Amino acid sequence: NNILLPEWLAYHYTVLPLRRLIVGVDPLSHTDPKPIFDSYASIGMNITTWTNDSFWVDGYVAHEKKDFPITDETDQEQLRKRFVYRQEQFYKSCMQQLHDENQTWTVL
């Protein structure tokens, strides 16, 4: 849901001040945040949008595989575990990227 995104960006741009942002877009999202991000690039924000292809590392169990099929029969526990695994992979990759860029501090 991108309705609150412009307000969130404006607030954090001002208060933190946020200048670098990496966003992992939900693969089931129906809206594209790129037009909103593009408008903030003009004021100096460096925003990178990642999909699962940008950061996913296959794990050992089924729900940790990028090509894990999600169907109507997929139970809620598998979906929760997949969500947590995806988030962990995103955080690891994001922190590594910001380290490689010599960012001095990070807020998760």
Side-chain angles (χ1 to χ4, degrees):
N1 190 344
N2 295 335
I3 293 172
L4 299 177
L5 187 56
E7 182 178 346
W8 186 94
L9 288 168
Y11 174 82
H12 288 86
Y13 178 86
T14 304
V15 172
L16 287 181
L18 179 66
R19 297 297 182 268
R20 178 70 173 104
L21 179 65
I22 300 174
V23 177
V25 177
D26 185 331
L28 303 176
S29 177
H30 296 287
T31 57
D32 182 7
K34 187 172 176 2
I36 297 168
F37 295 150
D38 289 345
S39 67
Y40 281 84
S42 67
I43 60 171
M45 286 187 73
N46 178 359
I47 302 174
T48 304
T49 304
W50 284 353
T51 63
N52 282 354
D53 291 336
S54 306
F55 62 87
W56 193 280
V57 176
D58 277 347
Y60 298 104
V61 295
H63 68 268
E64 295 175 351
K65 306 292 185 192
K66 186 168 61 172
D67 61 355
F68 176 73
I70 297 175
T71 66
D72 291 338
E73 286 79 39
T74 307
D75 69 42
Q76 290 298 312
E77 183 61 16
Q78 283 184 313
L79 292 174
R80 187 193 67 76
K81 287 180 179 178
R82 182 171 176 80
F83 173 81
V84 169
Y85 182 79
R86 180 181 185 271
Q87 197 167 25
E88 289 171 353
Q89 294 306 305
F90 175 78
Y91 285 162
K92 287 178 190 176
S93 296
C94 185
M95 296 297 288
Q96 184 61 56
Q97 178 64 36
L98 295 172
H99 177 268
D100 293 348
E101 294 176 10
N102 296 315
Q103 296 292 328
T104 56
W105 62 274
T106 300
V107 175
L108 295 176

